[in-house]
């Protein structure tokens, strides 16, 4: 059954086959997407018509990703969005971690529940509720004071706020997990040596939290880059990559989508591998 | 002592104010506004005041509540399938695989989920569709006379949903299974327990917290998913999130859309609440 116990041959073979099938199931769509990015064909399917890089660099009939202004622009929007969202939500998530781990105040439990709620609220609901609220606020300001608040109408910044609203929660969870293990006598020692609260946080606690803050940045960047459900309701004229690709997938696709997928899969796999190697090294130290 | 409490109050507001603003402006007030809108008539009617018409419309129109219950039932089905596949996978990684391959397998199961859901679903569409990879091989070797459309039906959609959500079952179960002492399993084995007894009486009870977290998170993800049902499901297998999208974006009836949104939120809260009560856990433990 487990490593240390004997098993019948039949059991071991069945179980191993199951696991192999599971990993095939897991990787088949990704591998096939990647392979077909290099197929010299107008549609992303077999038969294999020869190797080509046209879907990356091509111009003319087969417009590759790097010469496709629409996709490049969407990529740029997603990238700027992910930078903005990851910075905002990492700052907020860290604040929340400090608030819930180190402070005590009335209704703390209720507020904590509110903070973790975005994990169980479907992204679509978050999207429509933020859309209705900001639209009402913007209408109110326009009708009563004649002030135009266009940044809370569907636009780049509204998408950023929408993603920020739930990504901050994930960062808070990541940072809290590390802050829990922090030895608070270190803070007391610093206070005794005359540091103020700000100095203690800046020089001691934040230094200690650095790995989790970097982790939070990476996580929020990824979550923002690939978010679809919340974004769908808040987009304005600037389409982030998942929305732009979705429209293309629905309308019939060319292998340029495979090329983009290949780049993204490759980038995330490299990040995962680097992460693995770094964490192994840390264990050895 | 005095100085310490003073320091804390200073720090307290620096942390409290931004977090309070975030939760108020982006979580609490938007949901209150959504609730208010679901009880109001469309603005162009110029009839202010309270109405139940959006909710009544939902119950009057079979297509709405059919979609609603189908979505709920399918979400529960997918969660069960994911649990049945996820348990042995987690077991293999924690208890069967050698220590060396373990870290590698853990990274391996994570990689696909770092890739956007859209790309994963797109991968399945190019495998399954009429001009897809499976049909290419099946017709090439003469197993099928002509290509079969395997996409755009409920089975494909369920498979896609299982695929996109299974990690969120496997990871929490790995977490709890890790803490299960192998000697318990060995002892049961030495005392003559059969495999299914070991599973029923030792492994599953021990893993219950992870199973419940996994089930809740998977259920919520599936219930709220939009991409997979939209790209893999058929014309007749609409998901409730698509109804919400249609109300909001296509028909511009935000009041009806808000009512739908609230119904979805209400149903998911009830189901999660029941699951938590049955298992005696709290939401705090689950989201960890």
């Amino acid at each position: 059954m487990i490593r240390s116990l004997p098993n019948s041959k039949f059991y071991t073979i069945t179980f191993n086959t199951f696991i192999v099938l599971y990993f095939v199931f897991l990787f088949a769509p990704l591998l096939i997407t990647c392979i077909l990015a290099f197929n010299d064909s107008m549609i992303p399917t077999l038969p294999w018509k020869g190797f080509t890089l046209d879907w990356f660099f091509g111009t003319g009939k087969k417009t590759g990703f790097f010469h496709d202004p629409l996709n490049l622009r969407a990529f740029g929007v997603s990238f700027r969005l992910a930078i903005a969202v990851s910075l905002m939500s990492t700052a907020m998530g860290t604040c929340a971690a400090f608030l819930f781990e180190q402070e005590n105040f009335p209704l703390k439990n209720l507020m904590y529940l509110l903070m973790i709620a975005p994990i169980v609220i479907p992204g679509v609901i978050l999207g429509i509720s933020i859309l209705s609220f900001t639209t009402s606020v913007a209408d109110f300001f326009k009708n009563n004071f004649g002030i135009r608040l266009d940044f809370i109408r569907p636009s780049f910044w509204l998408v950023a706020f929408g993603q920020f609203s739930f990504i901050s929660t994930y960062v808070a969870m990541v940072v809290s997990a590390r802050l829990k293990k922090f030895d608070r006598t270190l803070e007391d020692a610093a206070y005794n040596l005359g540091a103020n609260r700000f100095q203690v946080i800046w020089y001691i606690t934040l230094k200690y939290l650095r790995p989790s803050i970097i982790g939070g940045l990476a996580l929020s960047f990824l979550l923002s880059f690939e978010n679809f459900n919340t974004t769908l309701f808040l987009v304005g004229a600037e389409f982030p990559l998942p929305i732009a690709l979705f429209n293309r997938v629905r309308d019939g696709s060319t292998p340029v989508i495979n090329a983009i997928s290949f780049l993204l899969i490759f980038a995330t796999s490299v990040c995962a591998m680097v992460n693995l190697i770094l964490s192994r090294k840390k264990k050895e130290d | 002592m005095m100085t310490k409490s003073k320091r804390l109050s200073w720090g307290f507001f620096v942390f409290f104010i931004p977090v309070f603003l975030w939760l108020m402006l982006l979580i609490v007030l938007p949901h209150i506004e959504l609730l208010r809108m679901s009880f109001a008539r469309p603005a162009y009617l110029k009839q202010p005041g309270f109405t139940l018409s959006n909710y009544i419309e939902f119950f009057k129109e079979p297509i709405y509540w059919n979609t609603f219950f189908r979505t709920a039932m399918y979400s529960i089905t997918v969660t069960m399938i994911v649990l049945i596949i996820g348990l042995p996978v987690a077991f293999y990684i924690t208890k069967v695989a050698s220590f060396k391959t373990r870290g590698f397998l853990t990274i391996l199961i994570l990689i696909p989920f770092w890739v956007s859901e859209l790309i994963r679903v797109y991968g399945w569409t190019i495998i399954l569709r009429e001009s897809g990879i499976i049909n290419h091989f099946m017709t090439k070797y003469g197993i099928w006379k002509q290509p079969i459309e395997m996409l755009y039906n409920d089975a494909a959609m369920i498979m896609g949903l299982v695929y996109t959500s299974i990690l969120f079952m496997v990871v929490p179960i790995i977490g709890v299974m890790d803490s299960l002492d192998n000697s318990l399993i060995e002892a049961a084995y030495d005392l003559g327990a059969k495999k299914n007894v070991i599973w029923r009486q030792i492994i599953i009870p021990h893993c219950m917290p992870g199973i419940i977290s996994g089930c809740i998170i998977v259920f919520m993800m599936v219930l709220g998913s939009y991409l997979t049902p939209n790209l893999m499901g058929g014309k007749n297998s609409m998901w409730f999130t698509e109804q919400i999208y249609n109300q909001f974006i296509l028909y511009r009836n935000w009041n009806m859309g808000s009512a739908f949104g609230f119904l979805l939120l209400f149903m998911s809260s009830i189901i999660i609440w029941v699951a938590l009560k049955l298992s005696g856990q709290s939401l705090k433990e689950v989201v960890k």
Side-chain angles (χ1 to χ4, degrees):
Chain A
M1 185 131 195
I2 55 176
R3 275 186 296 273
S4 49
L5 294 178
N7 279 315
S8 72
K9 207 164 187 185
F10 173 75
Y11 174 82
T12 314
I13 291 174
T14 322
F15 201 7
N16 285 342
T17 317
F18 170 77
I19 295 298
V20 169
L21 284 179
Y22 177 74
F23 279 98
V24 169
F25 172 67
L26 218 51
F27 281 91
L30 299 185
L31 284 179
I32 286 171
T33 306
C34 288
I35 293 168
L36 292 182
F38 301 98
N39 189 11
D40 197 1
S41 156
M42 288 310 285
I43 48 167
T45 186
L46 289 172
W48 187 256
K49 290 184 178 167
F51 180 86
T52 179
L53 286 176
D54 281 357
W55 296 113
F56 293 88
F57 304 106
T59 49
K61 205 173 115 197
K62 277 184 263 170
T63 311
F65 171 62
F66 292 106
H67 293 284
D68 182 341
L70 279 178
N71 280 328
L72 279 180
R73 198 181 307 146
F75 183 84
V77 172
S78 275
F79 195 78
R80 280 188 292 136
L81 200 58
I83 298 265
V85 171
S86 58
L87 291 177
M88 292 195 307
S89 23
T90 305
M92 185 61 86
T94 311
C95 256
F98 273 103
L99 183 68
F100 291 108
E101 290 301 324
Q102 299 205 334
E103 308 289 343
N104 271 314
F105 53 95
L107 298 179
K108 181 175 167 180
N109 270 328
L110 178 74
M111 205 159 145
Y112 186 75
L113 275 181
L114 275 179
M115 188 196 73
I116 56 177
I119 296 181
V120 287
I121 299 175
V124 169
I125 309 276
L126 215 51
I128 57 172
S129 61
I130 291 175
L131 177 66
S132 355
F133 175 61
T134 54
T135 306
S136 299
V137 171
D139 285 347
F140 178 81
F141 273 92
K142 198 181 111 202
N143 297 337
N144 291 304
F145 308 112
I147 303 171
R148 291 169 61 93
L149 294 174
D150 283 339
F151 70 103
I152 57 169
R153 304 259 185 208
S155 65
F156 178 86
W157 282 108
L158 191 61
V159 174
F161 292 140
Q163 295 186 347
F164 161 81
S165 73
F166 74 95
I167 292 176
S168 300
T169 303
Y170 288 93
V171 179
M173 309 297 282
V174 170
V175 178
S176 293
R178 191 165 166 90
L179 192 54
K180 268 198 187 80
K181 294 185 208 139
F182 178 63
D183 180 4
R184 294 205 74 179
T185 54
L186 289 175
E187 291 185 349
D188 292 338
Y191 286 131
N192 286 341
L193 293 169
N196 61 32
R197 178 93 171 116
F198 174 76
Q199 286 170 319
V200 168
I201 290 173
W202 186 254
Y203 288 108
I204 297 170
T205 327
L206 281 180
K207 287 278 177 304
Y208 172 80
L209 289 177
R210 199 158 67 184
S212 66
I213 290 175
I214 294 171
L217 272 174
L219 176 72
S220 46
F221 188 92
L222 261 176
L223 285 175
S224 161
F225 202 89
E226 66 172 44
N227 181 262
F228 183 88
N229 288 0
T230 308
T231 309
L232 181 66
F233 291 91
L234 306 175
V235 282
E238 290 180 293
F239 285 2
L241 198 58
I243 305 280
L245 286 183
F246 175 68
N247 292 335
R248 286 220 168 168
V249 169
R250 227 176 12 184
D251 302 342
S253 49
T254 65
V256 76
I257 298 174
N258 296 56
I260 298 170
S261 306
F262 171 79
L263 293 172
L264 294 179
I265 293 169
F266 185 74
T268 43
S269 310
V270 168
C271 288
M273 285 304 156
V274 169
N275 186 23
L276 174 73
I277 292 163
L278 285 181
S279 65
R280 280 226 172 129
K281 262 201 182 138
K282 219 186 278 161
K283 263 181 206 153
E284 280 164 17
D285 284 346
Chain B
M1 217 43 226
M2 272 305 284
T3 53
K4 188 160 187 190
S5 69
K6 226 178 167 184
R7 276 199 297 261
L8 282 179
S9 72
W10 177 87
F12 172 72
F13 283 105
V14 170
F15 298 135
F16 182 80
I17 291 168
V19 174
F20 182 78
L21 286 178
W22 156 39
L23 296 178
M24 266 304 167
L25 291 178
L26 290 172
I27 309 292
V28 177
L29 291 177
H31 283 88
I32 292 174
E33 174 64 11
L34 194 70
L35 189 62
R36 187 194 71 78
M37 283 193 55
S38 75
F39 287 113
R41 290 187 181 84
Y44 62 83
L45 291 175
K46 303 225 183 296
Q47 282 178 302
F50 180 86
T51 176
L52 283 173
S53 60
N54 298 312
Y55 290 94
I56 292 169
E57 185 69 15
F58 168 83
F59 288 104
K60 273 206 315 222
E61 188 65 62
I63 195 164
Y64 294 149
W65 52 260
N66 271 339
T67 318
F68 187 74
F69 287 111
R70 244 175 49 94
T71 305
M73 283 301 133
Y74 273 18
S75 301
I76 294 172
T77 313
V78 170
T79 310
M80 289 300 119
I81 297 174
V82 165
L83 177 63
I84 291 165
I85 302 175
L87 262 178
V89 171
F91 185 75
Y92 187 88
I93 290 174
T94 48
K95 300 288 176 200
V96 181
S98 71
F99 207 74
K100 256 189 174 166
T101 50
R102 221 192 114 152
F104 178 67
L105 287 183
T106 314
I107 290 288
L108 221 53
I109 61 163
L110 287 175
I111 287 178
F113 298 90
W114 289 23
V115 180
S116 148
E117 184 188 352
L118 181 71
I119 293 175
R120 287 179 265 151
V121 174
Y122 174 70
W124 279 116
T125 64
I126 57 181
I127 292 176
L128 293 177
R129 68 179 167 207
E130 208 175 344
S131 60
I133 306 300
I134 293 182
N135 275 314
H136 169 77
F137 285 112
M138 288 302 180
T139 48
K140 189 175 170 190
Y141 296 112
I143 299 168
W144 293 339
K145 292 234 159 49
Q146 56 204 26
I148 300 168
E149 180 64 271
M150 284 173 286
L151 204 60
Y152 313 123
N153 57 56
D154 287 1
M157 182 182 77
I158 286 180
M159 193 216 65
L161 290 167
V162 167
Y163 183 83
T164 48
S165 59
I166 193 156
L167 175 83
F168 300 91
M169 184 68 84
V170 174
V171 166
I173 297 181
I174 286 181
V176 286
M177 225 178 233
D178 230 3
S179 65
L180 173 63
D181 193 343
N182 282 350
S183 53
L184 287 176
I185 298 176
E186 286 161 3
Y189 180 83
D190 290 341
L191 292 169
K194 293 236 162 51
K195 282 192 182 81
N196 61 348
V197 177
I198 297 180
W199 270 99
R200 261 209 328 269
Q201 305 212 339
I202 298 176
I203 301 176
I204 291 184
H206 179 88
C207 294
M208 220 46 202
I211 291 175
I212 297 292
S213 320
C215 284
I216 288 179
I217 291 176
V218 166
F219 176 76
M220 292 310 301
M221 282 191 63
V222 173
L223 194 70
S225 64
Y226 179 87
L227 272 174
T228 314
N230 189 292
L231 291 175
M232 297 182 81
K235 281 267 177 295
N236 308 318
S237 54
M238 211 190 223
W239 213 244
F240 200 62
T241 48
E242 293 174 87
Q243 294 279 15
I244 296 178
Y245 179 86
N246 289 349
Q247 292 297 337
F248 257 81
I249 308 294
L250 290 185
Y251 311 141
R252 295 261 150 208
N253 189 345
W254 287 20
N255 303 84
M256 187 80 128
S258 305
F260 284 9
F262 245 90
L263 286 165
L264 188 68
L265 200 59
F266 184 71
M267 171 183 59
S268 61
S269 314
I270 295 278
I271 292 179
I272 287 182
W273 184 78
V274 169
L276 289 175
K277 279 285 161 267
L278 285 179
S279 66
Q281 283 201 308
S282 77
L283 188 63
K284 259 189 203 176
E285 295 158 34
V286 165
V287 295
K288 252 176 215 161

